């Protein structure tokens, strides 16, 4: 259980693995909401969000407007930091280590190295060990998750397909992650060497997952969650918490929907509660059928 | 309800946060641990742990699902309670740097400052000496942690930060059968704080059986 934590060396100071991963442990069972203004951040905090993700445009708008999506304006991130007392996360482009340096200097609590922004490097992700601030990264399967952890990610989320309001890709990724973990647990020592090669992941991490039966960091879900039932389904599929992007502030009644998703995440195994909080929420975000998206418009294929 | 004084039933408030780590630590510390999300589950435990997490989220969920008043009543009536980090905030009678209207369970006559050590980049690990805890200093993990700004006369200060910019700040307290730490013993392999709390629960049960307060 806390075995993976016990084994970490008893280092002291800031920016240790335990402090970075431990921060994500505190977010478990909670909902992290995309916000673009201080007002939205306050609505999210008031609805019971465990953290907010500060960004300039929600993924649905990035999709609609096109162009290069970058780190948000520091003034905008600062405005949100000043508006709420809960943790504030922000996104950097894949591989853009200077955007990450800027976000760390602003005092954000977690950086999302995110495929929702336009990648800045086609070969390298950020060396996340080099930072004091912790990172969350997206993954579509176990190998990708372990490559991000080996680069220093202290939290993993499914990629899903952001900005679609369609949960189908998040489901695929959560199932793939879980199946990958389950499979490792059935292998013997010799087979784990081959598994590491197939997963293109470090052997020590592969062995650790096989022994723990879970990732050594917290696993959230993201990408297309739009309703309380979506959130609860992801939790039942093994997510330890939920990111909601466009699903809240692109809906008819954001405050009520935000609170409903928070409650459905906590009581994810209680259909009576989910039924109760799902009533009268108004219009959900419109959404996009992922099958109609051309390959070039799929964010989940960004990163490797 | 209880399985007897040797292996007490200790609940972990399971609305949000590092519930699983507390459950594991309590079991290792000699308790039967159970998750508590509803008033009837609270009524069936001999002690309660308020875990680390986001205190504003837990307070709102507790209020929304009718758990806040039963928690207040239970702690006021003497139910042993332990809170780490967000749990310390929830057990405080008074808060600083909280959003307007943030409610608490209360039970500790202290003023707690939220996020007192700073943001996540300031989160740290260090060693802390705890009064009455044998075996040397604890390895303590502080994550966007609160501290106790002021403690009332009935509150026993168990530990303070030594050195650094927060030198002397109070990070562990006890008042009767209510204990709180700014840091997260559940994130380390050291089970002494949880064992101490399970022992408090055990004594509380034994006293109740003898009809003492």
């Amino acid at each position: 259980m806390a075995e993976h934590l016990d084994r970490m060396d008893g280092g002291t100071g800031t920016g240790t693995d335990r402090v970075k991963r431990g921060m994500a442990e505190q977010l478990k069972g909670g909902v992290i909401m995309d916000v673009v203004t201080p007002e939205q951040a306050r609505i999210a905090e008031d609805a019971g969000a465990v953290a907010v993700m500060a960004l300039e445009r929600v993924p649905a708008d990035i999709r609609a407007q096109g162009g290069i999506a970058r780190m948000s304006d520091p003034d905008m991130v600062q405005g949100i930091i000043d508006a709420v007392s809960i943790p504030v996360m922000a996104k950097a482009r894949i591989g853009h280590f200077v955007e990450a340096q800027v976000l760390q200097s602003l005092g954000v609590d977690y950086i999302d190295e995110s495929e929702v922004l336009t990648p800045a490097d086609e070969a390298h992700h950020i060396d996340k060990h080099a930072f004091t601030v912790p990172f969350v990264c997206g993954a579509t399967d176990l190998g990708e998750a372990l490559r991000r952890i080996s680069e220093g990610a202290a939290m993993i989320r499914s990629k899903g397909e952001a900005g679609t309001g369609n949960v189908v890709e998040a489901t695929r990724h959560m199932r793939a992650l879980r199946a990958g973990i389950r499979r490792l647990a059935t292998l013997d020592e010799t087979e784990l060497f081959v598994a590491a090669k197939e997963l293109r992941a470090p052997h020590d991490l592969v062995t650790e997952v096989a022994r723990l039966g879970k990732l050594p960091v917290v696993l959230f879900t993201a990408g297309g969650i739009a309703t309380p039932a979506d959130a609860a389904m992801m939790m039942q599929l093994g997510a330890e918490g939920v990111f909601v992007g466009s699903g809240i502030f692109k809906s008819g009644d954001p405050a009520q929907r935000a609170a409903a998703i928070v409650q459905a995440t906590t009581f994810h195994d209680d259909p009576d509660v989910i039924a109760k909080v799902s009533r009268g929420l108004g219009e959900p975000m419109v959404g996009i059928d992922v099958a109609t998206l051309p390959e070039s418009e799929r964010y989940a294929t960004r990163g490797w | 309800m209880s399985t007897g004084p040797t292996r007490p039933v200790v609940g972990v408030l399971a609305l949000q946060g590092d519930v699983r780590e507390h459950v594991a630590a309590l079991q290792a510390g000699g308790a039967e641990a159970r998750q508590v999300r509803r008033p009837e589950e609270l009524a069936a435990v001999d002690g309660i742990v308020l875990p680390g997490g986001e205190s504003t989220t837990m307070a709102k969920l507790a209020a929304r699902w009718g758990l806040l008043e039963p928690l207040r009543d239970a702690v006021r009536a003497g139910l042993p309670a332990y809170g780490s980090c967000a749990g310390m905030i929830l057990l405080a009678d008074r808060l600083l740097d909280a959003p307007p209207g943030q409610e608490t369970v209360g039970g500790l006559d202290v003023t707690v400052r939220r996020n007192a050590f700073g943001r996540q980049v300031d989160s740290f690990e260090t060693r802390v000496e705890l009064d009455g805890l044998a075996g040397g200093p604890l390895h303590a993990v502080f994550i966007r942690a609160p501290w106790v700004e002021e403690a009332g006369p009935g509150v026993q200060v168990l530990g303070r930060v030594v050195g650094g910019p927060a030198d002397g700040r109070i990070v562990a307290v006890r008042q009767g059968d209510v204990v709180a730490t700014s840091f997260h013993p559940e994130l380390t392999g050291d089970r002494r704080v949880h064992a101490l709390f399970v022992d408090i629960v055990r004594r509380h049960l034994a006293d109740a059986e003898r009809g003492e307060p």
Side-chain angles (χ1 to χ4, degrees):
Chain A
M1 175 27 324
E3 183 188 351
H4 59 293
L5 295 162
D6 305 347
R7 287 194 316 101
M8 280 186 220
D9 58 52
T12 55
T14 60
T16 60
D17 274 357
R18 202 201 301 259
V19 158
K20 290 174 170 179
R21 294 178 180 189
M23 168 73 199
E25 304 283 354
Q26 307 312 309
L27 301 171
K28 282 189 301 195
V31 182
I32 300 166
M33 303 181 191
D34 277 7
V35 297
V36 301
T37 63
E39 291 67 39
Q40 287 187 356
R42 277 189 285 266
I43 290 170
E45 181 175 48
D46 203 44
V50 288
V52 292
M53 176 77 69
L55 73 177
E56 224 150 48
R57 295 181 286 170
V58 294
D61 287 334
I62 294 174
R63 242 175 227 296
Q65 293 159 11
I68 302 300
R70 309 180 178 91
M71 173 188 82
S72 297
D73 185 309
D75 270 347
M76 181 264 166
V77 176
Q78 190 66 57
I80 287 170
I81 288 175
D82 294 342
V84 292
S85 69
I86 56 178
V88 176
M89 300 184 167
K91 289 181 194 287
R93 280 179 270 178
I94 289 174
H96 206 314
F97 52 89
V98 174
E99 284 189 349
Q101 290 165 3
V102 169
L103 292 173
Q104 174 167 293
S105 124
L106 289 174
V108 306
D109 296 297
Y110 236 93
I111 293 176
D112 184 2
E113 186 182 19
S114 177
E115 70 283 0
V116 169
L117 307 185
T118 312
D121 189 321
E122 292 188 323
H124 309 95
H125 281 251
I126 297 169
D127 169 13
K128 294 165 274 286
H129 294 292
F131 289 79
T132 306
V133 67
F135 282 75
V136 55
C137 287
T140 58
D141 58 27
L142 181 59
E144 195 174 4
L146 295 182
R147 289 193 288 282
R148 296 294 87 77
I149 295 168
S150 73
E151 295 157 1
M155 179 179 184
I156 293 293
R157 56 172 174 77
S158 68
K159 282 184 174 171
E161 195 54 52
T164 61
N166 187 339
V167 81
V168 67
E169 292 300 306
T171 303
R172 185 199 311 281
H173 301 159
M174 290 308 302
R175 284 196 182 278
L177 280 158
R178 213 170 61 153
I181 292 167
R182 257 201 319 260
R183 179 177 165 267
L184 283 192
T186 67
L187 302 183
D188 67 24
E189 294 297 322
T190 312
E191 292 164 335
L192 286 174
F193 286 102
V194 180
K197 199 170 70 179
E198 288 167 355
L199 289 167
R200 294 186 292 130
H203 175 256
D204 59 333
L205 271 178
V206 169
T207 308
E208 189 174 7
V209 170
R211 206 189 55 246
L212 294 172
K214 67 182 285 301
L215 293 180
V217 303
V218 167
L219 172 64
F220 266 47
T221 190
I225 288 95
T227 68
D230 287 350
M233 176 172 156
M234 290 301 114
M235 295 294 286
Q236 289 195 30
L237 284 175
E240 297 180 285
V242 180
F243 284 89
V244 185
S246 321
I248 289 171
F249 289 99
K250 284 287 167 189
S251 73
D253 186 345
Q256 208 193 337
R257 183 166 295 263
I261 292 176
V262 167
Q263 292 167 49
T265 301
T266 291
F267 293 95
H268 59 269
D269 55 355
D270 187 335
D272 293 341
V273 171
I274 299 162
K276 191 170 172 186
V277 303
S278 299
R279 288 171 193 267
L281 289 184
E283 283 300 302
M285 71 177 285
V286 177
I288 300 171
D289 181 357
V290 178
T292 66
L293 276 182
E295 195 64 26
S296 61
E297 288 177 25
R298 294 192 185 194
Y299 297 156
T301 60
R302 295 171 169 176
W304 38 88
Chain B
M1 320 268 213
S2 156
T3 56
T6 51
R7 195 164 177 84
V9 177
V10 178
V12 180
L13 185 68
L15 298 171
Q16 188 274 318
D18 64 351
V19 175
R20 202 176 49 212
E21 286 69 19
H22 275 290
V23 165
L26 285 166
Q27 276 163 349
E32 181 192 332
R34 286 190 199 157
Q35 300 198 10
V36 170
R37 291 186 297 181
R38 294 179 177 79
E40 59 271 25
E41 291 163 350
L42 176 66
V45 298
D46 306 317
I48 185 80
V49 168
L50 309 183
E54 177 47 55
S55 64
T56 57
T57 302
M58 285 190 241
K60 280 178 216 300
L61 283 165
R64 172 69 182 74
W65 293 97
L67 204 53
L68 196 56
E69 278 306 322
L71 272 169
R72 280 177 182 153
D73 293 344
V75 175
R76 203 179 295 131
L79 182 74
Y82 165 56
S84 72
C85 195
M88 172 189 262
I89 295 170
L90 290 172
L91 287 172
D93 283 345
R94 295 168 300 279
L95 295 183
L96 296 170
D97 291 342
Q102 179 172 349
E103 297 197 83
T104 70
V105 172
L108 276 176
D109 178 19
V110 295
T111 303
V112 164
R113 185 180 292 280
R114 283 181 74 224
N115 303 333
F117 290 91
R119 305 194 65 85
Q120 172 59 14
V121 288
D122 308 304
S123 293
F124 65 104
E125 342 183 13
T126 187
R127 300 186 84 72
V128 171
E129 190 95 48
L130 241 58
D131 252 16
L133 201 68
L138 276 167
H139 192 83
V141 185
F142 292 84
I143 296 175
R144 284 174 53 96
W147 67 43
V148 174
E149 188 104 353
E150 274 174 0
V155 176
Q156 184 188 358
V157 173
L158 297 180
R160 296 175 187 267
V161 173
V162 176
D167 183 47
R169 289 293 181 181
I170 300 169
V171 292
V173 290
R174 175 174 178 179
Q175 181 175 13
D177 290 341
V178 182
V179 179
T181 60
S182 303
F183 52 88
H184 295 276
E186 73 278 10
L187 292 183
T188 70
D190 190 331
R191 302 310 188 201
R192 284 180 290 163
V193 173
H194 288 83
L196 169 81
F197 180 62
V198 173
D199 200 47
I200 289 172
V201 175
R202 229 178 250 133
R203 282 165 200 265
H204 182 84
L205 281 173
D207 288 348
E209 264 171 33
R210 284 201 306 272
E212 290 170 16

